Amino acid sequence: MSAPMAEAKPPIDFYFDFISGYGYFASLRIEAIAARHGRRVDWHVMLLGVAVMKVMGLKPLLDTPLKGDYVKRDAARYLRRHGLVLARHVSDPMMDPRPAARAFCWVKRHHAGLAGAFVHAAYDRYWRLGRDLSLTDELLALAGPIGLDEQSLKLGLESEESRADLRDSVEAALARGVFGSPFTIIDGEPFWGSDRLEMADDWLSRDGW
Amino acid sequence: MSAPMAEAKPPIDFYFDFISGYGYFASLRIEAIAARHGRRVDWHVMLLGVAVMKVMGLKPLLDTPLKGDYVKRDAARYLRRHGLVLARHVSDPMMDPRPAARAFCWVKRHHAGLAGAFVHAAYDRYWRLGRDLSLTDELLALAGPIGLDEQSLKLGLESEESRADLRDSVEAALARGVFGSPFTIIDGEPFWGSDRLEMADDWLSRDGW
């Protein structure tokens, strides 16, 4: 029903933080869901440290009594179900997500067509391979395989422009009510969490309800 | 595949708080899911006020910045999608859930076969009809239609036995890691939230993974 008008439909807004395991899981599926309905994905980086801890005043997920244990188990069974094997566990210490987030902002501004490829490459390297992207060399290793120049990426992620872009991205996400990762907005309708992707798919099928 | 051995399979443990809208939504579906897999539902009352506020140290959902607005919207679209029309909104002031919870404990102990019927009647009266079950008359009105004696229920919910049963139920839920409503445990595997019922169904179909 949506195929003939595919180009005319607005993209799906997908918000993520690289330190979010559920964001990673959803990033692997969101483009297929979007494509089924003739949509593209517009990738937006956010920072859980700002949204959850500063604005909402909550503890990090893994430090929340009872819920922390549940999340470890829930993530593990998601991985088993989907045949994913990761070097990193959700309970491992998290990297500082800001260098990778700034790199993403630079890619999105200067090589918009590679934004999705960068997200996938960064999530894969952080979660599946277990590399720490707050280390410059690990982060720059993302460049070559997706056709970016390492030195340009290095200058870009350290630039005042990418710092400002990240601040703006975090602010814009908060202004739209985004408080978690993943968080998907479809034609103004918000869907929080990887466990709402089925509902988002249903929403797209019916053009809302 | 499960039908011939239906009687042999252990029940699904379903934890709920009457003040939980998502608990209500899930209570409407859990028996059908269980029945598809030859299971019964064992109903367990818990108190979000103890689990979320005291043990986890979190704010009530609706008082959490950003998430509160999301929950109102998410609940509203769930209702539209499922054709439910409720007199009570998730943002309305909540009743004290303890009298209804004690009444449930009394029913479960003395009329175990009516535990599910009581849960449905109480949820229906609180959410669909918008009645305050912390008022004795409103709570006792649940008795007749499901075949219970009002006076016995009144004495029961005020008894020391039901108070002790409720304390034990809340403690037992915490000891099993239950921190939300609804919360379903299937053969030891926990599923938090109404948005995990599909996964619970999948888990039952595959006998886990």
Side-chain angles (χ1 to χ4, degrees):
Chain A
M1 147 176 130
S2 51
M5 297 292 291
E7 305 319 317
K9 294 212 172 184
I12 289 174
D13 292 311
F14 182 84
Y15 295 82
F16 65 93
D17 184 336
F18 287 118
I19 59 171
S20 162
Y22 290 107
Y24 169 52
F25 302 160
S27 75
L28 298 171
R29 301 171 51 204
I30 191 65
E31 283 165 315
I33 292 172
R36 263 205 295 282
H37 304 284
R39 305 280 191 127
R40 287 188 311 104
V41 173
D42 194 2
W43 305 88
H44 303 273
V45 73
M46 54 83 74
L47 295 175
L48 288 169
V50 177
V52 174
M53 280 169 270
K54 290 193 186 167
V55 176
M56 300 170 84
L58 304 182
K59 288 182 268 278
L61 202 53
L62 271 295
D63 297 345
T64 306
L66 304 178
K67 197 182 277 190
D69 290 334
Y70 177 80
V71 163
K72 284 177 220 167
R73 186 162 190 159
D74 186 59
R77 81 181 156 206
Y78 185 94
L79 295 175
R80 292 196 307 274
R81 182 73 178 81
H82 290 83
L84 294 168
V85 179
L86 309 187
R88 181 175 303 280
H89 302 288
V90 294
S91 51
D92 289 342
M94 287 181 293
M95 68 174 179
D96 177 349
R98 291 172 297 180
R102 291 199 307 271
F104 167 79
C105 289
W106 180 82
V107 172
K108 187 171 177 179
R109 175 184 282 273
H110 295 281
H111 303 274
L114 294 178
F118 182 85
V119 172
H120 293 306
Y123 261 139
D124 186 74
R125 194 165 181 84
Y126 182 62
W127 286 99
R128 192 173 63 82
L129 301 181
R131 306 300 179 80
D132 181 347
L133 304 183
S134 69
L135 304 174
T136 304
D137 286 352
E138 291 291 346
L139 186 49
L140 294 183
L142 298 172
I146 62 169
L148 288 170
D149 177 64
E150 269 198 24
Q151 190 56 28
S152 302
L153 180 60
K154 183 172 195 295
L155 292 172
L157 78 92
E158 290 168 354
S159 68
E160 191 45 54
E161 179 186 74
S162 73
R163 290 174 199 276
D165 280 352
L166 177 55
R167 281 194 297 271
D168 289 349
S169 186
V170 169
E171 280 303 311
L174 288 171
R176 292 195 80 187
V178 172
F179 58 84
S181 166
F183 201 105
T184 306
I185 301 184
I186 301 171
D187 304 337
E189 188 72 17
F191 297 89
W192 170 45
S194 61
D195 45 9
R196 276 286 190 260
L197 289 185
E198 284 76 16
M199 186 187 275
D201 198 1
D202 192 21
W203 184 271
L204 284 161
S205 295
R206 298 165 181 267
D207 281 328
W209 59 76
Chain B
M1 145 179 130
S2 52
M5 294 293 293
E7 306 318 317
K9 295 212 171 185
I12 290 175
D13 291 311
F14 182 84
Y15 294 83
F16 65 92
D17 184 335
F18 287 118
I19 59 171
S20 162
Y22 290 106
Y24 169 52
F25 302 159
S27 75
L28 297 171
R29 300 170 52 204
I30 191 65
E31 283 166 317
I33 292 172
R36 263 205 295 284
H37 304 284
R39 306 280 192 128
R40 289 187 311 102
V41 173
D42 193 2
W43 305 89
H44 304 273
V45 75
M46 54 83 75
L47 295 175
L48 288 170
V50 177
V52 174
M53 280 169 270
K54 291 193 186 166
V55 177
M56 300 171 82
L58 303 182
K59 288 181 271 275
L61 202 53
L62 271 294
D63 297 346
T64 306
L66 304 177
K67 197 182 278 190
D69 289 336
Y70 177 80
V71 163
K72 285 177 218 167
R73 186 161 188 160
D74 186 59
R77 83 182 154 205
Y78 185 95
L79 295 174
R80 292 196 307 275
R81 181 72 179 80
H82 291 82
L84 295 167
V85 179
L86 309 187
R88 182 174 303 279
H89 303 288
V90 293
S91 51
D92 288 342
M94 287 181 292
M95 68 174 180
D96 178 348
R98 290 172 297 181
R102 290 199 308 270
F104 167 78
C105 288
W106 181 82
V107 172
K108 187 171 177 180
R109 175 183 282 272
H110 296 281
H111 303 273
L114 294 179
F118 182 85
V119 172
H120 293 307
Y123 261 139
D124 187 73
R125 192 164 182 86
Y126 182 62
W127 285 100
R128 192 174 63 81
L129 301 182
R131 305 301 178 81
D132 181 348
L133 304 183
S134 69
L135 304 174
T136 304
D137 286 353
E138 292 291 346
L139 185 50
L140 295 182
L142 298 172
I146 62 169
L148 289 170
D149 176 65
E150 270 197 25
Q151 190 58 25
S152 302
L153 180 61
K154 183 171 194 297
L155 292 173
L157 76 95
E158 290 167 355
S159 68
E160 191 47 51
E161 179 186 72
S162 73
R163 289 174 201 276
D165 281 352
L166 177 55
R167 281 193 298 271
D168 290 349
S169 187
V170 168
E171 280 304 311
L174 289 171
R176 292 196 81 187
V178 172
F179 58 84
S181 166
F183 200 104
T184 305
I185 301 183
I186 301 171
D187 304 337
E189 187 71 16
F191 297 89
W192 169 45
S194 60
D195 44 10
R196 275 286 188 263
L197 290 185
E198 284 77 15
M199 187 187 274
D201 198 1
D202 192 21
W203 184 272
L204 285 161
S205 295
R206 297 164 182 268
D207 280 326
W209 59 75

